[in-house]
Amino acid sequence: IEKHFGRFFTAIGGSVTGNVYDNTKDSLGNEIDEHFQNGTRSTLNGRVGYDITPIVYAFVEPSVNSGQYRSSSLNSNGYKIVGGLGTARISLFSGEIYAGTLTEHFSDPMTPDLNKPVYGGKVSWYPTRFVTLTGSYDQSFGTSDFSPTAFAVGSVTSINTSKVTTSWLMRRNFTLDGSVQYQQYQYLSSPRLDDLSVFGLKATYMLTERLGVVLDYSYNILSSNTPGVGYTRNVVLLGATTKF
């Protein structure tokens, strides 16, 4: 939700994401409990900005987050504060750049607090009225079921994400999106390093002006310096989208 007051503007947003995991089996057929990862992560973010010129604006964006999991050792809470500059559309381009700090505190006393500088941005190109090409870079953190120490249930990860997306409005009610994404996972307190490449294709058909169906396909390739971790995976998702 965003509101302008003359040359000033403010915004507020948030999300709640829940995940439920199925148990897996090892090569011998033994069941491995994955339910300890079940949980939710909630975020609340705001933005305050000022239009320096009709096409350039400055902004500060604070956010807080909280994660609650079945295994309390994965619980955490923290905040992120970034500031940056952005532009409205200039000719065929628009974009933003930002820098700031990320702090996260974990319930597990064996997991040190995460404090790190963060930076990123995005740029969009509009070669035609119906095609948009966007490149972005972002930094965040996550949790995993990998443990660098014995008898611990999970590890914290620092994630760097680079992504390029293309959106093509083929018809008034049909949009086709393609994306290439690269993510690097650094595991805290461990030398493990994972690289994930994701190639995606998404089709959105709007049944009405406000309600549409989405068919999403992605091909994932994970490589790691830890033996036995790498994999390839095909994912197909069917969902719905709305706007108001």
Side-chain angles (χ1 to χ4, degrees):
I1 301 174
E2 185 172 321
K3 176 68 174 178
H4 283 255
F5 304 90
R7 301 181 70 171
F8 288 92
F9 60 88
T10 61
I12 188 170
S15 67
V16 178
T17 304
N19 290 289
V20 178
Y21 290 81
D22 288 333
N23 289 339
T24 58
K25 291 185 178 181
D26 62 19
S27 58
L28 299 177
N30 300 311
E31 191 169 86
I32 302 174
D33 182 14
E34 298 285 359
H35 293 311
F36 69 88
Q37 298 183 81
N38 295 352
T40 61
R41 179 158 296 278
S42 304
T43 64
L44 178 66
N45 57 279
R47 172 177 281 209
V48 178
Y50 178 75
D51 293 323
I52 302 173
T53 73
I55 58 174
V56 177
Y57 59 89
F59 65 90
V60 175
E61 188 171 290
S63 65
V64 294
N65 71 83
S66 175
Q68 301 293 319
Y69 299 88
R70 183 172 178 179
S71 173
S72 59
S73 62
L74 293 177
N75 293 350
S76 69
N77 59 80
Y79 63 88
K80 179 179 179 180
I81 301 177
V82 300
L85 295 172
T87 70
R89 184 166 173 176
I90 302 176
S91 182
L92 300 179
F93 296 90
S94 66
E96 286 186 352
I97 56 172
Y98 70 81
T101 183
L102 169 68
T103 298
E104 195 74 14
H105 172 73
F106 300 91
S107 298
D108 185 358
M110 299 298 293
T111 303
D113 289 351
L114 175 62
N115 298 282
K116 61 174 295 185
V118 293
Y119 58 89
K122 65 178 180 179
V123 60
S124 294
W125 177 41
Y126 310 91
T128 75
R129 289 179 55 193
F130 309 105
V131 176
T132 302
L133 181 67
T134 300
S136 63
Y137 178 80
D138 190 34
Q139 296 177 305
S140 60
F141 79 99
T143 58
S144 76
D145 60 356
F146 170 77
S147 175
T149 58
F151 309 113
V153 297
S155 174
V156 179
T157 57
S158 175
I159 309 170
N160 300 322
T161 302
S162 302
K163 188 175 183 179
V164 177
T165 61
T166 301
S167 182
W168 179 19
L169 182 61
M170 299 179 64
R171 297 179 58 186
R172 184 175 180 180
N173 58 351
F174 184 77
T175 303
L176 190 63
D177 297 286
S179 63
V180 177
Q181 179 175 281
Y182 171 74
Q183 289 183 305
Q184 185 177 72
Y185 292 79
Q186 296 174 309
Y187 290 74
L188 274 65
S189 304
S190 169
R192 176 175 168 179
L193 187 66
D194 293 354
D195 296 304
L196 176 65
S197 299
V198 182
F199 305 89
L201 187 65
K202 181 174 69 173
T204 304
Y205 180 75
M206 299 302 296
L207 301 172
T208 69
E209 290 186 358
R210 297 188 177 183
L211 179 64
V213 292
V214 180
L215 180 62
D216 196 347
Y217 167 77
S218 65
Y219 178 64
N220 303 256
I221 305 172
L222 181 76
S223 60
S224 176
N225 61 1
T226 302
V229 172
Y231 64 81
T232 60
R233 181 172 63 184
N234 293 280
V235 180
V236 179
L237 302 173
L238 179 64
T241 183
T242 185
K243 59 182 179 180
F244 57 90

